[in-house]
Amino acid sequence: FVTSETSSAPMMNLFMEPASEASSGPMVDLLMDPASDDLKEPPKPDINPLADIINDAPLSEVKTPVAAMTQEPPSDLFDDEPSELFAEPRQSNTAKQQQTSIFDEPDEDLFSEPLGEALKKPQNDVFKEALAPVAKDPTDIFTEEAITTLPSAVSTVSVNSKTNGVHSDEEEPDIFAEATVELSLDSPRNDRKKKEAAKPSASASAPSVSASASKPQPKTLEELIIAFHSTGDGMNAYMAYKVSTQTTLPMFRSKTFTVRRRFSDFLGLYEKLSDKHTLNGYIVPPPPEKSIMGMTKVKVGKEDNSSAEFVERRRAALERYLQRVVFHPSLLQDPDVREFLERDDMPRAHNTQALSGAGFLKMINRATDSLSKMTIKMNESDVWFEEKLQEVEAEDQQLRKLHIMVDSLVGHRKELSVNTGGFAKSVAMLGSSEDNTALSRALSQLAEVEDKMEQLHQEQAASDSFCFAELLADYIRLLGSVRASFDQRMKTWQRWQDAQNMLQKKRETEAKLLWANKPDKLQQAKDDITEWEAKVTQYERDFDRVSATVRKEVLRFEKEKARDFKKQIIKYLESLLQSQQQLIKYWEAFLPEAKAIA
Amino acid sequence: VRSCVEPQIEEDYQAVNVDLQTDATLQVDISDALSERDKVKFTVHTKSTLPNFKQNEFSVVRQHEEFIWLHDSFVENEEYAGYIIPPAPPRPDFDASREKLQKLGEGEGSMTKEEFTKMKQELEAEYLAIFKKTVAMHEVFLCRVAAHPVLRKDMNFHVFLEYNQDLSVRGKNKREKMEDFFKNVVKSADGVLVAGVKDVDDFFEHEKTFLLEYHNRVKDASSKSDRMIRSHKSAADDINRIASTLYTLGTQDSTDVCKFFLKVSELFEKTRKIEARVAADEDLKLADLLKYYLRESQAAKDLLYRRGRALVDYENANKALDKARAKNKDVLQAETSQQVCCQKFEKISESAKQELIDFKTRRVAAFRKNLVELAELELKHAKGNLQLLQSCVGVLKGDT
């Protein structure tokens, strides 16, 4: 397996989706769905007329919260211009854009129809109705009530949606109300993610708001869709993921764009973000793990359920990963994220390969890290951190246990499905050899019921796996990141302590020199002291800053986790519910047949 | 472990007790059962108005080996060659359950108190279920005998029912078991031979082919149903463990999320109880039914074999008679032996036909009863499950 790229570890390339940049293999759009394009098409004509009208709508009430929000981005995230670049236009344009965005977004995706309905009547049962045609009465939208009720309707939308879309409302603890994140795990056509940054309107006079959002919020929207392509042949093949974004955020060059990314690109993004932000205490969401077996099977072209499942699972995991990243208010500002989403041609992230030079370096760093972690004994002045860390560790343990059990359940359900299928065939055979006609017919009906049960169990196992097991896996990984931020805080504390010790030493040196009366070295000592005093102050400030960030991040994480779990588990329970309903249907159909046996 | 079985519970478990005449002249049931170390003691209770019994109502204690003895005595009795001998009940098998109980005891240290108690309860329930099943199977055997017009009059049967001392039926020792083994081998070889002989009677010819195929398919269905039900039980066990872990997660704090976990844990506890019931009911109504008809179809096959054997003997006797007549030697002997064979064959044929027709009727009725009950139970459980899920989802959604 020789690749044409210069890589330090040609063997490992096997598993790192090796392919020459100029891949000659045909791009096969595995899950390209023309319908998705169609869905987008019809709404488009409506956008422009709407946009024009919207711009006339009163925006004053929106401006202040916008300003408030743009002060949010922490300055230490960016040491380059982009922060200003995007803070400014955001301030002025966002208001306008946001109004546009509210109505852009619904038009451009699957949720436009129900959203349209929602505009007319913001009720929770919007989705129970059939998707209404997009053509809506523009005048409705621009009434004060409609504007203010829209976001709440949107959050309603997100809670009730069955059309596999994702809404995520951004939450800023100070100003913004609760939001919900919904993940879509079905076919890419239906995989969409909406990101809505909610902002309270100063004149929250919406009387008929019935959603959880207390104040209606215009939102900046962003959508992410990830689909597959596979490229190349045989072992040189790699999976290219199509990342589509829809946004109205001004910091992006256009409103919709699509790029192709490889798995290693996602890893590369994580590396970059982690390097930059973890040391400030941010919880950077981790990507899914590399899987040698899984990818190899897919590359070898094994056409079976397990590899299809693997591919889908990875795609969904990558999608959720990206969604978490863009959902994070600070990370979204990072230019690397922007580049990842926008830039057509990205350099290969070689340093994500395990046996590369960078890989080795990482391993060594990790080893020293864990070593130093063991030796740092922190004087915890704030017991909050200690308690939280304990909580995190206990939770990690439980989640791991739970994950193993859910995996076991998935296995047994798959087994049940197979065995039910076998039984169904057997009963069919028995029925055919039975000479009493009524009984024979009943037995073949039983065989059919069991056949349908096989299907049901299979679907149930998939739901167990995708809804439940994946959720747990995500959070086990995330807890790792949380721990990392705590470690980071410890490291800054250690640095501060070290600086204090150094300062002390310098002072002692000065005292000694004074006593020994060596004026020439004295100046040097005084300079040292000044230098280290500054450092101590700096590091102390750093520690406080990082502590504050960690604290904020943890709180934010917990809120997100609560939301996530609730949403996913409710979704899972609903799938169980549907199974039972199906079950009832099947057995009800069978009962008269059984009774008819004479 | 001492367990009692009350008569009414057996309703559930009489998978195949259909269409049996339960007239007042002879009623047999198992009124009690005791499970000791490695044997089960059944209390066989009889109510009868027949004159041959000393009392009208009496009970004796019997063990599994005595049932087998009774069954074998029927099989070996030439007089009953023309009947389908009710299949012997399977040996009570608590090995698997006992093993699990033992493992549980060993692993007591490694789990939390709740987990341990829960698992212990589960195992005890499983043990009880197996126990009830074996009682039911033994009872069905006795009822079938009691319902059979000829077998119910059997002397050994009456002794079995009445004699209140130990029958001193020892289990077969190694030599006898070996003998049995060889006998079986010979029998199956012979069976193949006999089956090869085409029968003049269409009815029996058809029954032969039918039974052969049916028996094989029932065997397959029976093993597949067992496998399916086992997976079902494993899945229910998993849900149980998931519920426990969710409970632990839920009790770590009193935040919203934790309350959420507690509710979900509670839900899973309940649903898995239902799932376990579903598996148990499938076991009773489907798996047991198939197992029973596996044994009965074998008994029917045995009947056909005996008839076939008698036919072959008869035909051989005819040939021998012809030869004797031709040689004019031992004619009388040949004649008598031919007569005997003829009588035997005709006797078997006559009763066999009726037996096979009854078998069909019984089978159809049993399947009907069980399939209807199976469907009804599945519906009942699914609806229960659905309701649980709906109310829980409603509560959870309302909270958010």
Side-chain angles (χ1 to χ4, degrees):
Chain A
F1 301 101
V2 178
T3 67
S4 56
E5 297 168 304
T6 50
S7 160
S8 53
M11 266 317 280
M12 281 317 285
N13 276 345
L14 253 179
F15 308 117
M16 299 308 146
E17 301 151 84
S20 53
E21 282 302 300
S23 158
S24 53
M27 287 279 255
V28 175
D29 288 349
L30 277 181
L31 294 154
M32 181 74 126
D33 195 338
S36 60
D37 293 322
D38 291 339
L39 272 165
K40 286 195 212 152
E41 288 313 312
K44 277 216 165 76
D46 284 342
I47 299 177
N48 296 327
L50 288 184
D52 293 333
I53 312 174
I54 295 170
N55 289 340
D56 295 334
L59 300 174
S60 51
E61 66 255 29
V62 195
K63 277 241 169 78
T64 22
V66 175
M69 177 175 166
T70 47
Q71 271 148 32
E72 273 293 321
S75 52
D76 54 352
L77 246 190
F78 311 86
D79 40 15
D80 50 342
E81 310 147 80
S83 57
E84 301 138 61
L85 256 174
F86 297 95
E88 274 315 305
R90 203 170 181 193
Q91 219 155 5
S92 51
N93 292 346
T94 318
K96 166 179 166 170
Q97 301 267 7
Q98 270 154 17
Q99 290 297 337
T100 323
S101 68
I102 302 171
F103 306 105
D104 258 0
E105 190 276 324
D107 292 337
E108 285 188 21
D109 82 321
L110 271 176
F111 299 95
S112 57
E113 293 88 328
L115 208 51
E117 282 297 341
L119 287 172
K120 290 177 192 158
K121 33 190 160 98
Q123 292 156 6
N124 278 356
D125 59 355
V126 144
F127 291 94
K128 307 288 193 324
E129 304 155 3
L131 294 181
V134 176
K136 42 185 186 278
D137 185 358
T139 54
D140 282 357
I141 305 174
F142 306 108
T143 58
E144 178 78 355
E145 187 179 352
I147 293 177
T148 51
T149 54
L150 167 61
S152 51
V154 172
S155 27
T156 318
V157 160
S158 60
V159 169
N160 290 338
S161 168
K162 284 190 175 65
T163 45
N164 305 315
V166 180
H167 305 250
S168 67
D169 305 331
E170 182 169 328
E171 175 186 290
E172 300 285 5
D174 320 322
I175 326 171
F176 310 122
E178 284 278 351
T180 48
V181 179
E182 194 174 306
L183 299 171
S184 142
L185 294 165
D186 290 343
S187 71
R189 167 182 59 162
N190 291 328
D191 285 331
R192 300 165 146 264
K193 176 215 170 198
K194 263 196 295 250
K195 179 176 171 208
E196 300 147 9
K199 295 180 198 168
S201 154
S203 64
S205 57
S208 55
V209 174
S210 55
S212 52
S214 54
K215 300 182 184 222
Q217 302 134 2
K219 310 179 183 199
T220 54
L221 303 166
E222 192 161 319
E223 254 180 58
L224 282 180
I225 312 165
I226 299 195
F228 303 94
H229 291 274
S230 83
T231 317
D233 305 307
M235 290 313 290
N236 284 333
Y238 65 90
M239 195 64 82
Y241 299 92
K242 195 166 96 171
V243 179
S244 309
T245 318
Q246 264 188 19
T247 181
T248 52
L249 289 173
M251 67 190 189
F252 291 100
R253 274 181 276 136
S254 53
K255 292 215 183 84
T256 52
F257 41 89
T258 305
V259 292
R260 296 219 148 86
R261 293 284 176 257
R262 298 174 51 152
F263 184 68
S264 51
D265 295 335
F266 287 83
L267 295 181
L269 176 67
Y270 171 69
E271 292 295 324
K272 288 191 205 138
L273 291 177
S274 178
D275 288 344
K276 274 192 267 179
H277 301 303
T278 313
L279 27 100
N280 289 320
Y282 285 97
I283 299 174
V284 180
E289 283 110 9
K290 300 192 243 222
S291 166
I292 295 176
M293 265 325 288
M295 262 332 272
T296 316
K297 264 203 260 183
V298 171
K299 288 186 215 194
V300 168
K302 197 158 176 238
E303 286 292 333
D304 68 354
N305 279 340
S306 68
S307 54
E309 214 182 286
F310 170 79
V311 164
E312 172 57 28
R313 197 177 306 154
R314 174 168 275 198
R315 185 206 61 78
L318 287 173
E319 194 179 78
R320 290 195 302 275
Y321 161 64
L322 268 190
Q323 285 164 354
R324 287 204 179 93
V325 169
V326 293
F327 186 40
H328 192 297
S330 317
L331 289 181
L332 179 58
Q333 306 294 330
D334 189 313
D336 278 328
V337 172
R338 217 178 318 127
E339 183 189 57
F340 183 86
L341 292 175
E342 257 187 342
R343 184 167 164 185
D344 282 320
D345 212 356
M346 265 191 74
R348 287 282 314 279
H350 285 287
N351 58 356
T352 59
Q353 286 161 3
L355 291 186
S356 62
F360 271 125
L361 203 63
K362 245 188 289 158
M363 277 201 290
I364 294 170
N365 280 338
R366 234 172 274 153
T368 36
D369 268 356
S370 38
L371 206 62
S372 54
K373 225 196 299 178
M374 291 195 282
T375 53
I376 295 179
K377 185 65 188 96
M378 189 165 163
N379 283 342
E380 190 56 77
S381 52
D382 192 347
V383 77
W384 184 91
F385 287 95
E386 201 171 305
E387 284 175 356
K388 263 305 157 202
L389 191 58
Q390 278 173 348
E391 264 178 43
V392 165
E393 299 200 324
E395 191 168 353
D396 182 68
Q397 216 185 14
Q398 292 302 322
L399 283 184
R400 275 178 207 270
K401 239 181 24 175
L402 193 58
H403 187 246
I404 292 174
M405 290 174 195
V406 174
D407 266 349
S408 166
L409 176 63
V410 171
H412 283 135
R413 260 218 242 268
K414 283 196 185 146
E415 199 183 277
L416 176 60
S417 169
V418 168
N419 288 341
T420 308
F423 178 63
K425 290 197 189 72
S426 186
V427 170
M429 295 285 279
L430 186 65
S432 68
S433 65
E434 174 62 60
D435 52 4
N436 177 304
T437 33
L439 180 56
S440 171
R441 191 173 49 239
L443 283 173
S444 57
Q445 288 293 91
L446 180 66
E448 265 184 51
V449 170
E450 295 291 341
D451 223 6
K452 291 188 194 138
M453 300 279 282
E454 174 192 6
Q455 186 62 27
L456 208 62
H457 288 306
Q458 180 79 353
E459 286 165 6
Q460 191 56 61
S463 169
D464 291 344
S465 176
F466 277 107
C467 268
F468 206 359
E470 286 290 289
L471 171 73
L472 295 172
D474 276 358
Y475 273 90
I476 291 171
R477 279 197 294 269
L478 274 165
L479 284 179
S481 289
V482 173
R483 274 235 216 69
S485 74
F486 273 86
D487 291 343
Q488 205 41 54
R489 177 175 171 269
M490 269 215 306
K491 275 209 223 136
T492 48
W493 182 84
Q494 189 61 45
R495 199 169 57 156
W496 175 33
Q497 295 301 311
D498 289 346
Q500 278 184 323
N501 291 341
M502 191 53 102
L503 179 62
Q504 185 64 21
K505 274 206 213 116
K506 296 293 180 194
R507 289 213 170 115
E508 283 169 11
T509 319
E510 188 203 26
K512 263 194 250 159
L513 287 176
L514 268 174
W515 195 75
N517 207 351
K518 292 197 183 143
D520 45 331
K521 293 208 181 132
L522 205 57
Q523 187 52 43
Q524 175 66 38
K526 282 211 198 296
D527 287 340
D528 279 348
I529 289 177
T530 326
E531 179 194 343
W532 280 97
E533 272 176 350
K535 279 200 184 153
V536 167
T537 323
Q538 175 64 40
Y539 293 161
E540 183 176 0
R541 242 188 283 136
D542 279 347
F543 175 69
D544 287 337
R545 177 177 49 84
V546 170
S547 291
T549 310
V550 170
R551 203 189 197 112
K552 190 174 78 161
E553 284 283 285
V554 167
L555 288 172
R556 182 184 163 278
F557 169 76
E558 287 188 334
K559 279 212 190 85
E560 193 180 315
K561 177 178 68 152
R563 260 200 313 270
D564 240 352
F565 266 88
K566 283 190 193 176
K567 186 158 253 163
Q568 277 300 99
I569 291 187
I570 288 180
K571 185 164 158 204
Y572 174 62
L573 294 181
E574 284 179 335
S575 81
L576 288 178
L577 215 148
Q578 274 165 359
S579 283
Q580 293 300 315
Q581 282 169 332
Q582 289 284 79
L583 237 163
I584 291 175
K585 251 200 296 190
Y586 298 149
W587 285 106
E588 275 180 344
F590 173 71
L591 191 55
E593 284 288 341
K595 288 192 169 152
I597 301 173
Chain B
V1 176
R2 201 214 152 98
S3 313
C4 294
V5 175
E6 290 106 45
Q8 51 262 45
I9 301 177
E10 291 157 18
E11 282 300 321
D12 259 16
Y13 293 83
Q14 284 179 3
V16 290
N17 219 1
V18 288
D19 214 44
L20 297 178
Q21 309 133 290
T22 41
D23 56 278
T25 50
L26 184 60
Q27 277 178 318
V28 186
D29 64 84
I30 296 185
S31 59
D32 193 5
L34 198 88
S35 169
E36 282 175 9
R37 216 142 242 296
D38 53 352
K39 45 187 170 212
V40 183
K41 295 207 168 116
F42 304 95
T43 305
V44 179
H45 167 250
T46 317
K47 257 207 205 133
S48 175
T49 56
L50 291 175
N52 15 12
F53 295 117
K54 297 200 197 87
Q55 298 164 292
N56 281 351
E57 192 169 347
F58 46 91
S59 294
V60 293
V61 176
R62 292 282 173 251
Q63 287 182 41
H64 174 75
E65 288 76 22
E66 292 164 309
F67 286 78
I68 301 300
W69 164 81
L70 182 61
H71 171 263
D72 289 350
S73 75
F74 290 150
V75 171
E76 286 157 13
N77 190 334
E78 285 272 335
E79 287 293 311
Y80 303 142
Y83 307 120
I84 296 182
I85 310 293
R91 199 177 69 85
D93 183 13
F94 295 104
D95 290 342
S97 201
R98 223 176 273 133
E99 226 179 83
K100 277 200 216 165
L101 211 54
Q102 207 177 14
K103 258 197 231 148
L104 179 66
E106 285 167 9
E108 181 172 359
S110 65
M111 27 182 142
T112 70
K113 190 147 187 289
E114 292 100 22
E115 277 176 16
F116 180 74
T117 348
K118 220 201 265 184
M119 284 204 73
K120 185 151 161 266
Q121 280 171 349
E122 262 173 54
L123 279 177
E124 280 173 357
E126 205 180 288
Y127 193 88
L128 192 65
I130 300 178
F131 185 75
K132 284 188 186 166
K133 259 212 262 182
T134 190
V135 166
M137 308 247 203
H138 284 76
E139 194 181 71
V140 161
F141 169 70
L142 292 179
C143 291
R144 282 266 278 124
V145 176
H148 195 281
V150 175
L151 292 175
R152 80 211 304 242
K153 301 188 194 132
D154 182 80
M155 214 40 241
N156 283 336
F157 184 48
H158 290 184
V159 167
F160 177 92
L161 289 177
E162 201 176 21
Y163 187 62
N164 55 12
Q165 309 273 342
D166 191 3
L167 286 174
S168 301
V169 167
R170 55 167 178 76
K172 301 200 167 147
N173 63 23
K174 238 193 236 170
R175 189 173 69 99
E176 283 167 342
K177 284 196 185 145
M178 283 300 271
E179 281 176 3
D180 272 355
F181 173 70
F182 281 119
K183 251 193 252 173
N184 275 332
V185 169
V186 169
K187 178 169 163 231
S188 23
D190 196 31
V192 170
L193 233 92
V194 162
V197 175
K198 180 126 175 38
D199 205 317
V200 279
D201 190 328
D202 275 343
F203 174 81
F204 284 105
E205 187 61 27
H206 169 260
E207 283 300 303
K208 202 167 42 165
T209 20
F210 164 74
L211 270 177
L212 196 62
E213 194 185 60
Y214 189 79
H215 177 80
N216 288 335
R217 290 186 180 177
V218 163
K219 197 192 284 187
D220 187 49
S222 175
S223 78
K224 299 253 163 71
S225 79
D226 278 345
R227 231 182 284 167
M228 176 178 83
I229 291 165
R230 257 203 305 271
S231 306
H232 210 148
K233 286 199 179 121
S234 309
D237 283 342
D238 283 334
I239 298 178
N240 195 16
R241 269 179 249 130
I242 289 174
S244 300
T245 317
L246 279 173
Y247 182 79
T248 316
L249 267 170
T251 49
Q252 284 189 337
D253 209 337
S254 56
T255 60
D256 266 356
V257 178
C258 290
K259 288 200 203 107
F260 180 81
F261 281 146
L262 285 175
K263 288 208 190 94
V264 177
S265 159
E266 199 183 310
L267 170 72
F268 279 156
E269 265 293 333
K270 295 193 188 133
T271 55
R272 80 110 202 146
K273 281 208 180 86
I274 295 184
E275 287 295 326
R277 271 308 296 181
V278 171
D281 285 340
E282 282 178 351
D283 198 14
L284 284 175
K285 303 295 171 191
L286 212 46
D288 278 358
L289 174 72
L290 292 169
K291 277 200 204 86
Y292 186 81
Y293 276 96
L294 178 61
R295 296 202 302 277
E296 266 241 33
S297 58
Q298 182 60 49
K301 273 170 72 180
D302 289 344
L303 169 63
L304 280 181
Y305 162 72
R306 288 196 292 273
R307 180 178 171 279
R309 177 84 250 151
L311 178 60
V312 167
D313 289 343
Y314 180 40
E315 288 180 351
N316 288 342
N318 272 338
K319 289 197 199 119
L321 182 60
D322 288 342
K323 238 202 304 194
R325 283 193 178 141
K327 288 195 193 153
N328 211 351
K329 188 179 165 198
D330 294 322
V331 173
L332 192 60
Q333 195 182 26
E335 270 181 357
T336 30
S337 98
Q338 192 254 24
Q339 284 250 351
V340 162
C341 285
C342 178
Q343 271 170 357
K344 182 170 169 204
F345 172 68
E346 280 175 357
K347 179 164 173 244
I348 292 181
S349 280
E350 195 183 310
S351 57
K353 192 163 195 159
Q354 190 54 47
E355 287 281 301
L356 287 168
I357 291 172
D358 286 345
F359 170 62
K360 199 174 304 260
T361 321
R362 266 202 316 274
R363 187 176 79 238
V364 172
F367 268 79
R368 183 186 191 282
K369 176 171 182 275
N370 281 284
L371 288 179
V372 167
E373 284 176 1
L374 174 72
E376 287 174 346
L377 284 169
E378 292 268 2
L379 278 171
K380 173 173 149 210
H381 293 315
K383 286 185 181 151
N385 232 343
L386 181 67
Q387 202 184 34
L388 267 180
L389 284 165
Q390 274 171 337
S391 73
C392 185
V393 171
V395 166
L396 290 177
K397 275 192 172 159
D399 276 354
T400 51

